[in-house]
């Protein structure tokens, strides 16, 4: 990463501070780092590992974001927990491109610049290694199975394994 702040986060939270982190000449505007959107009461999780409410919220964010021409200079990566949600997101993004002229312009801008290497991508936990963008949207997938469901079941797939924390570290 270009930003030592990002490396320091992983160093402190995953490596017990054992990494030597070189200083960076670039800094992060921390006021713009994390925006959390909670869909706690909206339901949407489906057995099989998809969450349609998250997909809808991400597509709405992308539409609103790309409606501002000044945002087109920022690259986007969407990280999700599994290939099923990845496929659902890709389909929804393709539909957004067909429906939104501004999103289509945004997507074309990144297809044409930097040889397309920074184009918007949806990656799952197993395939995200090495990708870096200006904005990362993390689709956690897990949540209530419907409005009014009593609880979120603790079935988090591969991140529940002994080495699951390493997979999350790759996303961060």
């Amino acid at each position: 990463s270009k930003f030592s702040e990002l490396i320091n986060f992983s160093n402190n939270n995953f490596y017990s501070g054992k990494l030597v982190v070189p200083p960076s000449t670039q800094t992060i505007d921390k006021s713009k780092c994390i925006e959390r959107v909670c869909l706690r009461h909206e339901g949407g999780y489906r057995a099989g590992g998809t969450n349609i409410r998250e997909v809808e919220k991400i597509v709405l964010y992308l539409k609103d974001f790309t409606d501002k021409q000044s945002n087109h200079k920022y690259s986007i990566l969407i990280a999700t927990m599994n290939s099923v949600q990845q496929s659902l997101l890709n389909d929804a993004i393709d539909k957004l491109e067909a429906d939104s002229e501004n999103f289509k312009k945004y997507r074309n801008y990144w297809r044409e610049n930097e040889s397309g290497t920074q184009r918007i991508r949806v990656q799952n936990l197993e395939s995200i290694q090495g990708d870096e963008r200006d904005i990362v949207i993390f689709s956690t997938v897990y949540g209530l199975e419907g409005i009014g469901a009593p609880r979120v079941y603790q079935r988090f797939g591969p991140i529940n394994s002994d080495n699951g924390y390493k997979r999350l570290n790759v996303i961060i």
Side-chain angles (χ1 to χ4, degrees), residues 39-69:
L39 305 177
R40 178 173 291 133
H41 302 290
E42 295 187 34
Y45 176 76
R46 295 180 186 159
T50 63
N51 189 321
I52 192 66
R53 296 290 174 255
E54 277 190 7
V55 170
E56 292 167 351
K57 195 66 109 174
I58 289 169
V59 167
L60 181 61
Y61 173 85
L62 293 173
K63 182 186 179 322
D64 291 345
F65 182 82
T66 57
D67 280 347
K68 297 177 187 151
Q69 185 71 31

Side-chain angles (χ1 to χ4, degrees), residues 98-157:
D99 295 344
S100 168
E101 193 60 36
N102 288 326
F103 183 76
K104 184 176 188 172
K105 287 177 186 175
Y106 172 84
R107 209 168 188 192
N108 286 335
Y109 171 83
W110 284 105
R111 282 179 179 139
E112 295 166 7
N113 287 299
E114 298 188 41
S115 303
T117 58
Q118 296 295 305
R119 71 190 184 282
I120 189 169
R121 294 185 69 179
V122 180
Q123 296 284 72
N124 67 52
L125 201 57
E126 285 78 28
S127 65
I128 199 164
Q129 183 76 32
D131 280 338
E132 187 173 308
R133 298 291 190 280
D134 297 312
I135 297 169
V136 176
I137 299 169
F138 189 32
S139 169
T140 60
V141 178
Y142 305 105
L144 297 174
E145 291 193 26
I147 297 173
R151 65 182 172 270
V152 175
Y153 293 99
Q154 303 292 310
R155 298 179 290 216
F156 300 118

Side-chain angles (χ1 to χ4, degrees), residues 26-53:
Q26 299 181 8
T27 58
I28 295 174
D29 179 355
K30 293 181 181 174
S31 69
K32 298 179 181 177
C33 282
I34 296 176
E35 177 182 342
R36 186 177 135 225
V37 178
C38 182
L39 305 177
R40 178 173 291 133
H41 302 290
E42 295 187 34
Y45 176 76
R46 295 180 186 159
T50 63
N51 189 321
I52 192 66
R53 296 290 174 255

Side-chain angles (χ1 to χ4, degrees), residues 4 7-8 11 15-23:
S4 58
I7 299 169
N8 278 327
N11 186 26
Y15 299 104
S16 303
K18 294 177 184 173
L19 297 177
V20 176
V21 180

